[in-house]
Amino acid sequence: MEQKETITPISDFGEFGLIKLLTGTLKTNNGSTLKGVGDDAAVIGYSGDESILASTDMYVEGVHFDLAYTPLLHLGYKCITASISDIYAMNGNAEQVLVSVALSSRFSVEALQEVYQGMRIACEKYKVDLVGGDTTSSQTGLVINITAIGRAAKDAVTYRNGAKPNDILCVSGDLGGAYVGLQVLEREKQVFLSNPAMQPELEDYSYVLQRQLRPEARKDVVEILAVLHIKPTAMIDISDGLSSEILHLCDQSGTGCDLFEEKIPRDDNTYDTARSLNLDFTMCALNGGEDYELLFTISQADYEKIKNHPDFTLIGYMTDKESGVNLVTTSGNRYPLQAQGWKHF
Ligand SMILES: [Mg+2]
């Protein structure tokens, strides 16, 4: 007898839709679970005035990284910085990581040691301790999972849902570089595949390549905000692209936003390289991702404290929900922002 069952392709949902489907109806059983699924990290609180922050990320060969051009040392480094970025995005400090690895027989002990050496360098730089994990086999490629644990004072923890209309939207650093770096690497890979005798020409791209291969996490931003006595009203890290992250803040805060194209911070090397690859810089910043900068909102009362700070750029402001989430272009047009982000499925 033929059995009828519904088979829905995962691509019908996309990453965020799938998370909502699987976890949207989860109930918590413990009072210590202060915040479950839905922010950069879970928030766990016992007695006392500090909370524990916990977040986990998986990095899959062929999906998140390509070993044709990713040095193993950088891969280890990036897995750590990308993971602890979620703890800083909660306005906390990362202190421990758990590292699990699945690998096939294609990898040697020396190769794995190289990955762990990269992790060790990142842990040393960010003063994080690697305290455990699991190692197992994989049939096809390399999979790395990192759980990051951190802490923050309970009243310092910053969620995605606290932005209010008229709050100012701010971002650290500059954007688009990691995506442009990825495009350079993909292009060189194609050149190499068609003519293996060709040597890659990468000297001009050091900034964007570093942004892609060896990104830093913005631990310093959390420290600077504390010194300035600013507690953001909402915060998120930029892993999927500026558009996607702004939409998360607006969705969870119940606000709209006006983002000004001309304010989006850019590095000259990113901008020039994007142009040389026939890429639009704004698109790279909006949809590229992996910049691991912090995107946050502050109340108008904090404007004077931050307006001329060299580490931050004010790129827009929050509006009421009915006004929508818009990009105000350099030419003065308004377009609704759309999330492209990474399509893993
Ligand atoms: Mg995040």
Side-chain angles (χ1 to χ4, degrees):
M1 204 173 81
E2 207 176 306
Q3 221 179 341
K4 278 193 179 167
E5 47 182 300
T6 313
I7 297 177
T8 310
I10 288 175
S11 56
D12 280 11
F13 280 85
E15 184 179 355
F16 305 122
L18 187 64
I19 294 170
K20 259 188 190 151
L21 177 75
L22 297 176
T23 65
T25 56
L26 284 180
K27 290 191 180 69
T28 54
N29 295 307
N30 296 289
S32 56
T33 306
L34 301 183
K35 174 78 187 180
V37 178
D39 217 299
D40 289 278
V43 183
I44 302 163
Y46 305 107
S47 55
D49 45 16
E50 279 194 323
S51 284
I52 296 171
L53 308 167
S55 169
T56 196
D57 276 300
M58 202 176 301
Y59 305 94
V60 178
E61 182 182 355
V63 178
H64 301 97
F65 58 89
D66 185 337
L67 290 178
Y69 50 70
T70 307
L72 294 169
L73 193 76
H74 289 356
L75 176 63
Y77 190 92
K78 180 175 179 174
C79 287
I80 297 294
T81 55
S83 300
I84 60 179
S85 174
D86 280 323
I87 302 297
Y88 303 129
M90 302 299 291
N91 205 27
N93 187 40
E95 297 192 354
Q96 288 86 17
V97 287
L98 299 163
V99 176
S100 294
V101 174
L103 76 167
S104 67
S105 55
R106 172 161 76 82
F107 292 89
S108 66
V109 172
E110 288 76 13
L112 197 56
Q113 281 180 310
E114 189 79 359
V115 176
Y116 272 73
Q117 178 61 14
M119 292 181 183
R120 206 185 323 244
I121 294 169
C123 286
E124 189 49 44
K125 175 161 184 181
Y126 288 88
K127 298 295 172 224
V128 169
D129 302 320
L130 200 167
V131 294
D134 190 18
T135 311
T136 186
S137 55
S138 144
Q139 291 197 337
T140 50
L142 178 61
V143 178
I144 300 173
N145 184 82
I146 314 267
T147 298
I149 302 167
R151 66 168 158 180
K154 274 184 180 150
D155 57 7
V157 176
T158 304
Y159 298 92
R160 293 176 178 178
N161 64 9
K164 300 265 184 311
N166 297 320
D167 282 358
I168 301 162
L169 183 67
C170 312
V171 70
S172 63
D174 54 77
L175 300 178
Y179 178 78
V180 173
L182 180 64
Q183 301 314 306
V184 169
L185 291 164
E186 287 286 349
R187 185 186 65 173
E188 292 305 319
K189 181 184 171 185
Q190 295 313 318
V191 170
F192 178 79
L193 289 176
S194 59
N195 180 6
M198 280 280 279
Q199 285 298 310
E201 291 170 27
L202 297 173
E203 312 86 69
D204 293 344
Y205 305 121
S206 60
Y207 181 71
V208 294
L209 293 180
Q210 178 255 315
R211 296 289 285 170
Q212 167 56 221
L213 293 172
R214 202 178 185 284
E216 302 296 348
R218 297 308 304 260
K219 177 186 171 92
D220 60 324
V221 165
V222 174
E223 294 163 353
I224 293 166
L225 290 173
V227 170
L228 294 174
H229 298 289
I230 293 175
K231 188 198 169 191
T233 52
M235 186 151 63
I236 189 168
D237 69 331
I238 300 184
S239 54
D240 294 320
L242 183 59
S243 275
S244 173
E245 316 307 356
I246 290 177
L247 286 162
H248 281 309
L249 290 183
C250 290
D251 178 41
Q252 297 205 20
S253 295
T255 64
C257 179
D258 275 356
L259 165 69
F260 295 93
E261 180 183 20
E262 63 187 348
K263 302 286 188 193
I264 299 173
R266 65 193 197 197
D267 177 89
D268 287 345
N269 188 248
T270 301
Y271 187 76
D272 294 343
T273 308
R275 289 198 64 165
S276 75
L277 295 171
N278 286 320
L279 296 169
D280 178 63
F281 165 76
T282 302
M283 281 323 204
C284 295
L286 289 177
N287 302 322
E290 292 196 292
D291 287 314
Y292 299 107
E293 295 296 341
L294 293 180
L295 177 73
F296 56 96
T297 53
I298 58 166
S299 66
Q300 293 275 347
D302 287 330
Y303 170 71
E304 291 293 329
K305 299 179 194 167
I306 206 172
K307 63 175 183 183
N308 293 320
H309 201 287
D311 287 309
F312 304 118
T313 309
L314 315 183
I315 57 174
Y317 57 87
M318 308 311 268
T319 59
D320 55 30
K321 193 181 174 70
E322 290 65 42
S323 305
V325 185
N326 300 293
L327 174 71
V328 181
T329 66
T330 306
S331 54
N333 294 312
R334 282 163 72 93
Y335 296 102
L337 265 191
Q338 274 157 358
Q340 246 80 82
W342 291 111
K343 294 270 185 288
H344 296 315
F345 300 111

